[in-house]
Amino acid sequence: MKRVIQIILPLSILFLIGCEGMLNKDHDRPSSAMDTEALAKELTSELGLNGDQENELYSHIKRGERFHPHPASLWELAVHLSETLTEEQLERLLTPPEGTGFHDMSYGLKPEEHERSGPKDEFFIEIVRSLLTEEQLEIFESYLDYRNEQVDILKSNLDSGDMELDIVMREIKALRSLFRVQLNGLLTDEQKEQLELLMEDERPRHPRKGPDSESMELVREAMEEALGLTDEQITALEELKLEFEASQEELSATYLSDQITEEEFRVSFIEMLEVTREAKDEIFTEEQHLILRIHRALSIRAHRHFFGHKRFGRG
């Protein structure tokens, strides 16, 4: 068990790894306007905001720009929208837009950890491929094929209305966890060290990165402040997280020892998520739940705008 934990922890770190109707435009528009303007326009159109509301939208986006492009940049906006939107507007916002994909949904899965953008994931996969032997590569491609096939099924179910977003998001979490565990079992210790170094030195970095976007302590503080968490809630959530991580390590060890299949891993992982969700229902207030749902919806919409361009620097 100790060896399994030692293998999983380092690699898990890697995975974490002109608007119209606006008043005082130059003052309110954030420096990351190239990324955020498209999101603001989408929300303005989708929610039917007037000029004053649009201006408020930009003001709250600006307050979070120090975290850009991390989902933490959206907490201020999520709180504002939770207090101002009508039921009809909320329903529109919480409905995922057409074309929502795997990386859109993955982006804000764990808002207290490193952002999970499409470019980072794609770069990670290419680096892994470069480190593998031919035999390992064949196995790795089978893992990717399985993940992609399951994602396509989930996306189809979401688009058709056969699955609700909450269920799809839990399935995505299970697929990501399975993929991480599979990779932990595939790579040698030397390959993991090489991968960690390459991801640190060469991974894509956003060209308009805010100064606090990689400070996980400040990211967590932003979430706690936005939700207005009490000390008791923070303690309860931390205890719940530790319990989940212990169960996850046990499940991972069971899978790596070939005692369960991929499907059984996913089913067990989702059951663990269900238990955790029920516990969180007892911790969060109704208002906090709403802010969390809005933040998730904003993250899904923001990913394509924050990372839609291809000009990412390295180093």
Side-chain angles (χ1 to χ4, degrees):
M1 172 64 78
K2 290 184 178 180
R3 176 168 175 78
V4 172
I5 296 175
Q6 289 174 346
I7 291 174
I8 289 175
L9 289 179
L11 197 56
S12 65
I13 294 173
L14 297 176
F15 269 86
L16 299 174
I17 42 183
C19 204
E20 297 175 359
M22 207 176 88
L23 303 177
N24 203 6
K25 293 183 180 181
D26 292 337
H27 173 72
D28 287 337
R29 181 166 299 178
S31 60
S32 54
M34 182 178 294
D35 304 320
T36 57
E37 184 165 339
L39 173 63
K41 284 185 175 181
E42 176 184 319
L43 293 174
T44 298
S45 174
E46 184 77 14
L47 304 178
L49 304 182
N50 60 36
D52 289 341
Q53 291 172 321
E54 183 182 3
N55 193 46
E56 282 291 312
L57 190 73
Y58 268 97
S59 295
H60 285 86
I61 288 177
K62 180 176 176 62
R63 293 178 189 178
E65 70 174 323
R66 65 191 177 102
F67 293 111
H68 186 77
H70 193 281
S73 64
L74 302 169
W75 281 120
E76 289 274 359
L77 180 58
V79 174
H80 170 68
L81 295 180
S82 74
E83 297 169 346
T84 58
L85 293 185
T86 65
E87 288 296 324
E88 181 181 354
Q89 288 173 320
L90 276 173
E91 184 177 352
R92 293 180 196 168
L93 176 63
L94 297 176
T95 301
E98 185 178 352
T100 295
F102 172 72
H103 291 119
D104 298 325
M105 289 184 282
S106 296
Y107 173 55
L109 275 181
K110 292 188 175 182
E112 74 280 11
E113 298 177 356
H114 287 282
E115 49 89 358
R116 305 176 178 199
S117 68
K120 279 187 179 179
D121 187 59
E122 292 164 5
F123 178 78
F124 179 88
I125 288 172
E126 290 306 313
I127 291 297
V128 170
R129 283 179 172 139
S130 71
L131 297 174
L132 300 179
T133 65
E134 289 187 11
E135 182 179 355
Q136 286 177 312
L137 184 59
E138 184 176 351
I139 297 172
F140 179 66
E141 295 298 339
S142 71
Y143 293 158
L144 277 177
D145 288 342
Y146 177 80
R147 187 183 81 167
N148 293 337
E149 288 170 1
Q150 297 306 309
V151 167
D152 287 342
I153 293 172
L154 292 173
K155 187 176 182 302
S156 176
N157 288 334
L158 179 65
D159 292 341
S160 66
D162 291 339
M163 272 189 179
E164 295 182 357
L165 179 62
D166 285 345
I167 296 175
V168 173
M169 293 292 280
R170 287 196 287 272
E171 291 281 357
I172 292 291
K173 286 182 179 180
L175 281 173
R176 290 193 66 99
S177 181
L178 173 63
F179 185 67
R180 180 169 61 246
V181 171
Q182 288 173 327
L183 195 53
N184 273 312
L186 180 64
L187 298 179
T188 66
D189 290 344
E190 182 180 355
Q191 287 171 325
K192 289 169 188 170
E193 292 175 4
Q194 291 177 299
L195 180 59
E196 187 170 3
L197 289 173
L198 287 169
M199 285 299 293
E200 178 60 31
D201 296 338
E202 302 293 332
R203 63 183 171 85
R205 285 174 167 81
H206 201 283
R208 288 171 291 282
K209 186 163 62 75
D212 296 332
S213 61
E214 295 186 359
S215 172
M216 292 305 100
E217 181 179 355
L218 294 178
V219 162
R220 282 187 286 272
E221 287 178 3
M223 181 183 70
E224 292 169 2
E225 182 178 343
L227 294 174
L229 295 179
T230 64
D231 291 342
E232 291 77 10
Q233 285 179 310
I234 293 174
T235 299
L237 289 170
E238 183 60 30
E239 291 175 352
L240 191 61
K241 179 182 178 182
L242 292 175
E243 291 174 6
F244 182 85
E245 288 175 348
S247 298
Q248 188 175 11
E249 288 169 4
E250 184 177 347
L251 179 62
S252 299
T254 303
Y255 175 80
L256 290 174
S257 60
D258 296 323
Q259 297 181 47
I260 57 175
T261 64
E262 295 169 333
E263 292 299 323
E264 289 170 331
F265 178 96
R266 291 172 59 191
V267 169
S268 296
F269 189 87
I270 290 172
E271 289 175 352
M272 288 162 46
L273 289 176
E274 281 291 329
V275 172
T276 301
R277 182 187 64 79
E278 291 174 1
K280 285 183 176 180
D281 284 344
E282 299 297 320
I283 297 173
F284 290 125
T285 65
E286 184 176 340
E287 292 77 11
Q288 289 169 332
H289 271 299
L290 178 58
I291 293 171
L292 285 165
R293 292 177 67 202
I294 291 175
H295 184 266
R296 183 186 63 188
L298 290 173
S299 298
I300 289 174
R301 292 172 180 270
H303 178 266
R304 68 184 68 190
H305 300 305
F306 290 1
F307 299 95
H309 44 78
K310 299 297 183 182
R311 298 185 64 183
F312 282 84
R314 295 183 183 178

